[in-house]
Amino acid sequence: MPSSGLTPNLVTTCALVTALAARGGRQRAGAAAWALWLEAEAAWPAWAADPAAVVVGMNAAVEAGDTAAARGVLERAVKAGAGVSVEAYNVLLKGSPAASIPGLRAEMVAARVPPNGVTFNSMVASHAKEGDIPSARAALALALAAGHGRDGW
């Protein structure tokens, strides 16, 4: 948007990025969302400290197929003083292979970020997508043990 000569605000840009990232054709729409996010982030670096905007940017990167870039958005946010949210970790889980789940869970514990129902749902789905049904069941058992019942999903 800065290249258009317009002066957008955070909410407008996040809405556009979210809408693009949610469109079908994941890679193409995700790439457009990610490009728009990068342009906005470069023009207004203070946005890196806004927790909601950080999640929007991370999601755009994941939808573009670049989970490493999503982690970069999170790292810039932490450097800018933003708190790390469960939503940020949920985006990383969504874009990461099942093998990375233990490491992400350990990071969440270290950062004192408790998982929520979406966290557990992402874990179950990640294992199921890879055909690892025993691990998907184990993740479901963790969710139930943590008090996240099936009805909440």
Side-chain angles (χ1 to χ4, degrees):
M1 287 196 13
S3 64
S4 69
L6 300 174
T7 306
N9 62 30
L10 178 65
V11 174
T12 302
T13 301
C14 285
L16 282 170
V17 170
T18 299
L20 280 169
R23 284 187 61 97
R26 182 175 178 168
Q27 293 288 352
R28 204 165 106 215
W34 180 233
L36 178 59
W37 174 258
L38 288 174
E39 184 179 341
E41 187 184 42
W44 302 285
W47 288 9
D50 184 276
V54 166
V55 171
V56 168
M58 290 176 66
N59 192 57
V62 165
E63 291 300 325
D66 194 345
T67 303
R71 169 140 332 256
V73 172
L74 180 59
E75 289 169 359
R76 288 190 298 280
V78 169
K79 204 176 212 178
V84 180
S85 68
V86 67
E87 292 83 9
Y89 279 106
N90 290 343
V91 171
L92 288 177
L93 281 166
K94 177 175 90 168
S96 299
S100 65
I101 290 174
L104 287 170
R105 284 188 59 224
E107 281 183 45
M108 290 177 75
V109 169
R112 298 178 191 242
V113 175
N116 63 15
V118 175
T119 307
F120 290 111
N121 190 42
S122 295
M123 290 166 51
V124 171
S126 184
H127 288 299
K129 278 190 232 173
E130 293 183 11
D132 185 355
I133 302 308
S135 293
R137 286 186 177 160
L140 178 58
L142 280 173
L144 295 173
H148 296 280
R150 292 180 194 130
D151 292 341
W153 301 11

